[in-house]
Structures are given as structure tokens and as C-alpha cells.
Amino acid sequence: MNTQKAMPAQPSRTRNQAMLALIGISAIWGFSYPIIKDATAGYPVGAFLLLRFGVAIVAMVLVSARTLFEPALWSRCNTRALLLALLTGLVDFMGFFSQTLGLQTTASGTAAFITALYVVIVPLLMLAARCAPRGLPQWIPMALSLAGLTCLLGQGATLEIGPGEAWLMLSALAFAMQIVLTGLLPGDINAPALVTLQLIPCILGASVLALVDSTPLPALPAETLWPVLYLGIVPAALATVGQTWAQRHVSANETALVFCTEPVWGALAGALWVGERFTTIGAFGCALILLAMAWPQLKTVINRHRTQPSMLCAMAVCDDQRDATR
């Protein structure tokens, strides 16, 4: 009987762990904006991305070498899974490339705001693919998160549409597609193997860009070495593995809602490291985003309280019928 009671709680516990993992990934990405901007200030974007994804794929092989070379693992990777993983990696590379290019001429706060617009693009893509239910309730947290992101512009960032902002809008679209495609990846193949496949288009695309951008590759400055190692190992490799695993337990729309906290972490990083002001309107925006994340749980509580009176009435009717039969 103890086993039967514990089993229903397991999916909920796993889902909560997945949500916490997505929050941590969002924090990692949010804190990466100033690092990317500083690392590419005096270094070509193509060479930077090549080194970043090169570090990422080496890290994946070292961390999961035992599972990557198991024949039983790759026997489950059919043509559809292979093409889907490669397509996910391609759009992921488009997102990283567009984001890095946009950060060349755009403030970190503005870049975080524009990139986080995938919170609105994801449900639109899901509806277009008929993968999400239609209706008003799902748009309420989306509207709350968009309002919160707008309030974060009060942190000092200015929104002016230029070449950098256009690249960042493209990155928002690419990351939205990546979130949707990640939710479609097969669940019987472990996450490190799928992420290794996704890194293949990234390393190929970065190689082409590096050759076009600068030949031969420029020497890596000492101040850029550690950012390249960090951005390759943590956000590009480990965070992508965590996202791939978490989206097996959380829907794409919920993932987008959690990831809209990315500019919140970016604003916090700016306040702690760069000394940017964390204004009242920015704090209000953070509260709106947290409310959007908590909306599904709040909706469940509200519906539960709404059904309680009817349950009490039903109990009262049963009591009356029991008294009438005595």
C-alpha cells in the first residue's frame, strides 16, 4: 500500500524538478548576456562561435563518453529522430548566431527583452502546428509575461529598431522554434546523445562563418579564453542537456513561460556586476513574470475552490436522503 501511495506523487515530483531545472537554465542564459557582449567586443563572431561550440562538443564527449558509444543507444535513433535533432541544432545555431551578432550593437538589457519575446512566439507556433489548445486561459500568462518584460525596459534599456535589434528578433524566432522542436524529440534516446547531434550543425555553421569572417583564425586573447570555456561548457552544452531532459516532463508553452525569466536574471546580473539600477518598475515587471509562471497553479487552486460549494451541496443532499430513509 505504501508503494501505491507513492507512485502518483512521482510524476509531480519529476515535473517540479524539471521546472526547477528550467529556472536554473534561464538564470544561466540571463547571466550570459554581459559575458557574450564583453567576449565579442574585440573578437570576430564567427571565430568566437566556432571556439564556443568546439568546447561544447568536446565537453559532451568527455562527460557522456560511455553512453554516447553504446550501440543500443544509437539503434533507437531512427531517421526521423536523427533529422529532428539536426534540425533542432540548426535553428539553435541560428539563434546563437543572431543573438551574438545583435549584441554587437545592442545593450544587454534590450537584447534580453527582445530575445525573450519567444514567450509569445512559441504558442503562436504551437497553434499554427495545431499542437496546442485554443482558448483564452493560455494567453493570460502570456500577456502577463509580456507586460512584465515591457516593464523591465524601465531598467534603463531603450528599444530602437536597428540592425542589432533585427538580428535579436530573428534570434527570438529561432529560439522559439528550438523550444517547440525540443518538445518533439524522442524520449527513449538520452539527452546527451541528442545534444551531441544538435551540436553538429552548430559546429559546421560556425566553421563556415569563421572561414568567411577571418582566415586564418585570430589568436584568442587571454581575457576571452575563460568566457569561451564557460559559454561552451555551461550554457551551450550542460544547459541544453538540461532543457532536453526537462521538456520531456514540461510542455513547450510552460517552458517558454519559465524562460521569460531570462531578462529578470539579466537585470539582476546588471545590478550586481555592472551597477545598473534595479528600479521599482523593473521589480514590478519581475513580479508580473513570476505571476505568469504561477498562473497554472493559481488557476488550479481557484477552480478547486469553485467546485467546493457544489461538493458541499452534494454532501448535504446525500445527508438529506440518508435521513429520509431512516
Side-chain angles (χ1 to χ4, degrees):
M1 293 185 63
N2 292 336
T3 305
Q4 293 178 350
K5 289 182 180 180
M7 288 178 64
Q10 184 65 29
S12 177
R13 182 162 56 248
T14 303
R15 185 179 181 279
N16 292 337
Q17 292 172 350
M19 293 290 285
L20 289 175
L22 291 175
I23 293 174
I25 294 167
S26 180
I28 290 172
W29 288 347
F31 275 80
S32 297
Y33 280 95
I35 300 176
I36 296 173
K37 190 172 182 63
D38 291 341
T40 57
Y43 199 73
V45 172
F48 170 79
L49 289 175
L50 176 59
L51 292 173
R52 178 179 183 178
F53 290 122
V55 169
I57 200 167
V58 169
M60 289 305 308
V61 172
L62 291 177
V63 170
S64 56
R66 180 180 299 179
T67 58
L68 285 177
F69 296 105
E70 288 182 355
L73 169 65
W74 297 104
S75 64
R76 296 192 297 269
C77 189
N78 54 27
T79 303
R80 179 183 178 276
L82 177 63
L83 293 177
L84 188 58
L86 294 176
L87 179 60
T88 305
L90 179 61
V91 297
D92 199 21
F93 169 74
M94 293 172 57
F96 279 116
F97 167 66
S98 303
Q99 183 188 68
T100 305
L101 205 61
L103 277 168
Q104 300 295 295
T105 57
T106 308
S108 297
T110 304
F113 167 74
I114 297 176
T115 304
L117 289 178
Y118 53 63
V119 70
V120 180
I121 302 176
V122 166
L124 293 176
L125 293 176
M126 297 287 288
L127 287 175
R130 297 181 180 180
C131 296
R134 300 176 184 271
L136 179 63
Q138 64 172 331
W139 293 103
I140 294 177
M142 300 297 172
L144 288 172
S145 60
L146 184 60
L149 293 172
T150 305
C151 290
L152 284 177
L153 286 178
Q155 291 300 112
T158 58
L159 185 57
E160 298 176 357
I161 305 300
E165 287 75 17
W167 280 112
L168 289 165
M169 290 180 183
L170 181 60
S171 74
L173 175 60
F175 285 137
M177 295 174 62
Q178 189 263 352
I179 291 173
V180 174
L181 290 173
T182 300
L184 300 177
L185 292 173
D188 58 343
I189 303 175
N190 69 352
L194 291 173
V195 173
T196 303
L197 288 173
Q198 294 176 49
L199 287 172
I200 294 176
C202 295
I203 198 73
L204 292 177
S207 300
V208 173
L209 284 176
L211 292 175
V212 173
D213 197 11
S214 56
T215 305
L217 294 179
L220 184 65
E223 60 272 14
T224 310
L225 174 61
W226 292 110
V228 165
L229 292 175
Y230 169 78
L231 293 170
I233 295 173
V234 182
L238 299 183
T240 308
V241 172
Q243 179 191 357
T244 304
W245 170 82
Q247 282 199 240
R248 295 175 179 176
H249 310 283
V250 179
S251 69
N253 284 338
E254 291 174 316
T255 300
L257 281 176
V258 175
F259 282 168
C260 74
T261 60
E262 186 176 326
V264 177
W265 298 109
L268 181 61
L272 293 177
W273 293 348
V274 190
E276 296 177 353
R277 292 188 305 118
F278 202 82
T279 62
T280 303
I281 190 172
F284 180 69
C286 295
L288 287 178
I289 292 175
L290 293 177
L291 178 60
M293 287 180 55
W295 177 259
Q297 287 72 23
L298 292 175
K299 181 183 175 183
T300 302
V301 173
I302 292 173
N303 291 337
R304 187 180 303 162
H305 282 294
R306 285 180 177 176
T307 57
Q308 281 182 353
S310 60
M311 294 175 59
L312 292 175
C313 292
M315 293 174 61
V317 170
C318 292
D319 291 340
D320 292 340
Q321 292 177 350
R322 191 182 300 110
D323 294 337
T325 56
R326 289 179 178 175

